[in-house]
Amino acid sequence: MDNKYQIQGIPFVLVSIAIGLCAFMQTLDLSIANVALPYIAGDLGVSISNSTWVITLFMVGNAIVLPLSGWLSEKVGSIRLIVISTLLFGITSFLCGIALNFPMVILSRFIQGMCAGPLIPTSQILLTRVFPKGKENMAIALWAMVILIGPISGPIVGGWITETYSWRWIFFINVPVALVAAFIIYIHMKQSIKPIKQKKFDWWGLIFLALGVTALQIFLDQGRNLDWFHSPTIRTLFIIGIISLILFAVYEWNTPNPLVELQLLKISSFTIGMLILGISFMVFFAPIVITPLWLEDTLGYNALNAGICLATMGILPFFLAPLVAKLMETGRLKLLIGFSFVAMAIVSYYFSKFNSNVSFKQVALSRLYFGIGLAFYIAPATRLPLVKIPENKLTSASGILQFFRIYMSGVGTAVYTTIWSNRATYHHQTLGSRLINFNESLLRFKNQLIYKLGFSEAQYLETLNQILDKQAYTLATNDIMLLSSISLLILITLLCVDRVTPKDCLQIDKKNTIKIKSFH
């Protein structure tokens, strides 16, 4: 069944850019508010720890609606869905910007996250249908580039806007972009908007999903602050989340009109591909989170410089997108993903050898080289799970896929930051135990501070502790990069398990299409 939209010339260019902007806004808002949290906390009179709810509740709202994208798309149509979601995203962004108090900010962010939920999977499917037949790989490559650049540029854009203007403008900038994108898509695609279907809503599925996702997202975001399972609150959230998602899975699997088509997991290529994308995203995304923390907290970079240093990751994917699309036309998606894993593993290992005297140029170049792996990763890894998914189930499958990808990035961030902190404590204790009073280098350092520079004993100990912290967190960062490198190489085994062939990647599997249509 050909679901291509016949758009050519300037309208094609405008619609493609507009759809890309919809995806870009969502991915940008995943990270743009991170650097503004101290400013939001200070302006609205809350603590820094409480200000993290600005991030948490956006992720909760996003995670609840993201897997519902397939049901919503079938109900109102992909075009109407992306237009409405984009407009509502702009409105809620405006509400975040004009918030009079902190409760209004976090409520608006929660609703904003819900409105943003359908943007990623819907934009992916729409872009492949807007591009001419045979150019779907180019569409996916460009879409992948957009969702990669969004999180990378978020801290830079957020830091610059917050320091130059106000934290409120990190939300206001979404408003004109959302209005223009929605207007362009509607004007040029309104003739293809389908009538709204009558579909029974699965309230129990929504309740189980919302409860499970909310509990586990708060568990991940607040676990480190509350010392994980030593906290009764964290234990309770984990139990509620797991039980709710089990009930959700059982109910959705057996109901005739599910909100989320979990039976798509019967297709082994989809399940394995989803695991490859989710776990690999967890493995490589977490060090991306650790790096700016290390640069800012340990090496003294400000948010803008740290963001610029990391932004070099997006340079090569931008220029290599056409090449990646061309290589995807050969159908050798697993080979491209395997190459990306090896490339990212090599650069992560190289990073694991850095010390606290590393220069800005060295870090920036390491991120630039990391971009080689990213360029050959995002598009093929996103395409691989969808190879045997029938046309009428693509949005549902993409929603599940993107939910798992984003959620696993949250799992990776929580796990890696905990490991990072624990390893830093270990290295601090190990380094400290080696400092003894009769160490000549230490005695010279102590004499210089106390007798030549006039430091007190307490000031000397504080300075020594800061030096130990710097070295400990640098060694902990090295450990994380080494762990990431090894994990990426291990993931290649999953590619070997996946039975998708280059031939599968170049044609539709009709047998699977019939099987999926007969699910319910």
Side-chain angles (χ1 to χ4, degrees):
M1 182 172 61
D2 189 6
N3 283 326
K4 290 291 182 182
Y5 298 114
Q6 303 303 316
I7 304 175
Q8 298 176 346
I10 294 177
F12 164 73
V13 176
L14 292 175
V15 168
S16 299
I17 293 173
I19 294 173
L21 285 173
C22 293
F24 180 76
M25 284 192 305
Q26 198 270 4
T27 55
L28 184 73
D29 269 59
L30 287 173
S31 59
I32 195 172
N34 293 27
V35 295
L37 292 183
Y39 298 88
I40 296 173
D43 195 17
L44 300 179
V46 297
S47 66
I48 294 292
S49 59
N50 282 335
S51 69
T52 58
W53 287 103
V54 172
I55 308 298
T56 301
L57 289 182
F58 178 86
M59 294 296 294
V60 168
N62 193 255
I64 290 172
V65 178
L66 189 57
L68 309 184
S69 300
W71 188 93
L72 291 170
S73 180
E74 289 186 14
K75 170 73 175 175
V76 304
S78 297
I79 299 172
R80 186 183 282 109
L81 177 60
I82 199 169
V83 170
I84 293 173
S85 296
T86 302
L87 288 174
L88 291 176
F89 184 82
I91 292 170
T92 50
S93 295
F94 179 74
L95 293 176
C96 290
I98 65 169
L100 302 176
N101 50 50
F102 189 66
M104 184 175 176
V105 171
I106 59 175
L107 177 61
S108 300
R109 278 287 281 179
F110 174 70
I111 301 173
Q112 185 193 39
M114 295 182 69
C115 298
L119 293 180
I120 291 293
T122 309
S123 64
Q124 179 190 359
I125 303 306
L126 273 181
L127 205 57
T128 57
R129 291 174 180 171
V130 166
F131 268 60
K133 192 169 184 177
K135 297 296 182 181
E136 292 85 357
N137 288 326
M138 176 61 77
I140 293 176
L142 293 174
W143 174 86
M145 181 189 69
V146 168
I147 67 165
L148 173 65
I149 292 175
I152 293 173
S153 58
I156 303 174
V157 176
W160 179 76
I161 290 176
T162 302
E163 292 181 10
T164 307
Y165 299 100
S166 164
W167 64 266
R168 297 180 184 275
W169 279 97
I170 65 175
F171 301 116
F172 287 147
I173 60 169
N174 289 327
V175 178
V177 177
L179 292 176
V180 171
F183 176 77
I184 291 173
I185 294 172
Y186 177 76
I187 289 298
H188 292 292
M189 302 186 75
K190 60 183 178 182
Q191 71 279 3
S192 301
I193 294 179
K194 298 177 181 178
I196 296 176
K197 294 181 180 180
Q198 295 297 321
K199 287 178 68 69
K200 184 179 179 181
F201 192 77
D202 179 12
W203 287 104
W204 279 111
L206 178 63
I207 291 170
F208 290 142
L209 176 65
L211 190 59
V213 165
T214 301
L216 286 183
Q217 189 64 53
I218 296 173
F219 161 80
L220 288 175
D221 289 352
Q222 302 297 321
R224 186 166 168 241
N225 295 333
L226 298 177
D227 199 20
W228 293 107
F229 290 102
H230 292 97
S231 165
T233 302
I234 292 300
R235 290 198 299 269
T236 302
L237 285 170
F238 181 76
I239 292 170
I240 291 174
I242 293 297
I243 292 175
S244 298
L245 289 185
I246 290 173
L247 291 174
F248 169 75
V250 171
Y251 184 83
E252 291 297 289
W253 192 272
N254 295 288
T255 188
N257 299 296
L259 273 180
V260 182
E261 302 244 21
L262 292 182
Q263 296 221 26
L264 287 169
L265 297 174
K266 286 182 177 180
I267 302 176
S268 61
S269 61
F270 176 67
T271 303
I272 296 173
M274 183 179 70
L275 289 173
I276 292 171
L277 179 66
I279 297 174
S280 59
F281 209 82
M282 176 188 78
V283 168
F284 92 79
F285 185 78
I288 292 176
V289 174
I290 295 296
T291 304
L293 292 176
W294 175 60
L295 292 176
E296 293 177 44
D297 297 344
T298 305
L299 301 190
Y301 286 46
N302 59 35
L304 184 59
N305 285 337
I308 293 172
C309 195
L310 295 178
T312 55
M313 281 191 298
I315 296 175
L316 291 178
F318 180 84
F319 289 104
L320 291 175
L323 173 61
V324 173
K326 193 70 178 175
L327 292 173
M328 287 175 65
E329 292 176 4
T330 65
R332 300 186 181 280
L333 300 181
K334 293 196 292 184
L335 183 62
L336 293 175
I337 298 169
F339 169 78
S340 73
F341 286 170
V342 172
M344 288 189 287
I346 291 172
V347 178
S348 294
Y349 179 76
Y350 167 69
F351 197 113
S352 73
K353 301 301 180 181
F354 285 171
N355 57 45
S356 58
N357 294 321
V358 67
S359 67
F360 178 95
K361 181 180 178 181
Q362 286 176 298
V363 178
L365 281 176
S366 76
R367 299 302 85 193
L368 178 70
Y369 301 147
F370 196 80
I372 298 173
L374 289 182
F376 292 91
Y377 163 73
I378 297 289
T382 303
R383 181 75 181 95
L384 183 66
L386 303 178
V387 165
K388 294 188 178 182
I389 299 295
E391 180 71 25
N392 63 326
K393 298 297 180 183
L394 277 176
T395 307
S396 294
S398 182
I400 296 171
L401 186 65
Q402 297 307 322
F403 165 78
F404 189 69
R405 175 183 68 84
I406 292 174
Y407 195 79
M408 288 303 288
S409 70
V411 172
T413 300
V415 171
Y416 274 77
T417 50
T418 301
I419 294 174
W420 185 59
S421 179
N422 290 343
R423 291 298 294 174
T425 301
Y426 165 78
H427 286 302
H428 190 285
Q429 292 173 344
T430 302
L431 292 171
S433 66
R434 295 175 182 173
L435 295 178
I436 51 179
N437 287 329
F438 50 80
N439 184 302
E440 292 185 4
S441 298
L442 180 62
L443 287 174
R444 283 197 300 269
F445 176 70
K446 181 178 181 180
N447 290 336
Q448 185 177 12
L449 291 186
I450 293 179
Y451 299 114
K452 292 185 178 180
L453 299 179
F455 277 44
S456 66
E457 183 75 20
Q459 289 173 321
Y460 154 71
L461 292 174
E462 177 60 26
T463 302
L464 183 61
N465 187 64
Q466 290 174 358
I467 294 173
L468 288 176
D469 269 342
K470 186 175 183 178
Q471 298 304 320
Y473 275 99
T474 298
L475 291 171
T477 303
N478 293 345
D479 293 342
I480 292 296
M481 294 302 171
L482 182 59
L483 176 61
S484 177
S485 177
I486 295 171
S487 301
L488 285 166
L489 294 177
I490 293 174
L491 275 174
I492 294 176
T493 57
L494 269 180
L495 290 171
C496 300
V497 174
D498 194 336
R499 295 183 179 180
V500 171
T501 66
K503 185 178 179 181
D504 293 327
C505 299
L506 298 175
Q507 64 182 12
I508 297 176
D509 190 325
K510 295 181 179 180
K511 182 178 179 180
N512 269 300
T513 302
I514 295 170
K515 183 179 178 182
I516 296 299
K517 288 181 178 178
S518 65
F519 271 173
H520 301 299

